Structure formats: structure tokens, C-alpha cells
Amino acid sequence: MDETYYEFGTPAERWDRAQMFFEAKEYLTAARILGGLVGEAPEQVAPRLLLARAYYHSARLTKAEAELREVLKRDPVEDYALLMLGRTLERQGRPAEAAPHLRMARAMSGDFDLEPPGPGMTAVG
């Protein structure tokens, strides 16, 4: 791919630009910018998590799964990454693999009711 203006600038400028594109639902452009940032600073979790979200929203689920697994390798208590990984696996038709991630995400977020409410039911809380 040819480089474009949004791939230039400081990491902070590119981070801001990636967030702007993500918020504008331009997920492929955001992913392109974030991919460069992740390559430059692979130890940082925030750009990788936003990259995973951009992949998820653009239906690039295999890539989203890989990024989420990398986030969890670096930060095993990142509850949003657990939730996203569970949802990504569900969306790929892998509910059995998704279930433990979703349960853990609910527990870590303080939702100790390990099963979500069924239809017509509300959570007690």
C-alpha cells in the first residue's frame, strides 16, 4: 500500500489520528495507522487493544483474535480484552471457546452472576 499523510507524524499525532478515524467508523484506516504504532511499540497495550477493536468492527475476526490474545499475554487482567475475545470467538461460531472468556470478563467487571439474564429477566443488583 502507498503511504498517505495519516501515517506520518509523531506517535502521539498518529495515535490521535487513529482514534479520530476509529470514532468516525473508518475502521480500516484506523487499523492501518494502529498497525504501524503497534509495530513500533509492541509492548503498549492501548494501541493493540484499539487495533483489535478496529479489526473486530471491520469483520477481520482472525486478526482481532490474534491481537486480543497478544493483549491478554501482556495484561492478563484486561477485562475488556477478555470480553472482546469472547465476543470475537462467538462471532466466529466458537461459543464453547468463548464461554470461559466471557465468564471471566463478567466476574472481573464485578458481575458475579456468572450467567447473563435470560429473556424477560433482569439482573438483580
Side-chain angles (χ1 to χ4, degrees), residues 79 82-83 87 99-118 121-125:
D79 61 324
L82 283 165
L83 174 66
R87 297 264 171 86
H101 300 290
L102 295 172
R103 277 194 305 271
M104 183 67 77
R106 281 194 298 275
M108 290 174 75
S109 69
D111 184 0
F112 296 107
D113 177 18
L114 296 181
E115 293 300 321
M121 299 175 67
T122 58
V124 178

Side-chain angles (χ1 to χ4, degrees), residues 11 15 37-38 40-49 67 71 74:
W15 170 248
L37 289 171
V38 166
E40 291 172 26
E43 71 285 353
Q44 292 188 3
V45 171
R48 195 177 291 274
L49 187 55
E67 293 300 332
V71 166
R74 295 169 188 283

Side-chain angles (χ1 to χ4, degrees), residues 38 45-57 60-92 101-102:
V38 166
V45 171
R48 195 177 291 274
L49 187 55
L50 190 57
L51 176 59
R53 292 177 64 199
Y55 284 150
Y56 179 87
H57 287 298
R60 297 161 79 185
L61 301 177
T62 302
K63 288 184 174 203
E65 179 185 350
E67 293 300 332
L68 290 164
R69 290 189 186 281
E70 192 60 39
V71 166
L72 290 168
K73 227 187 271 184
R74 295 169 188 283
D75 186 358
V77 296
E78 174 53 67
D79 61 324
Y80 190 70
L82 283 165
L83 174 66
M84 279 197 61
L85 179 57
R87 297 264 171 86
T88 300
L89 292 168
E90 281 182 331
R91 212 168 149 193
Q92 293 179 72
H101 300 290
L102 295 172

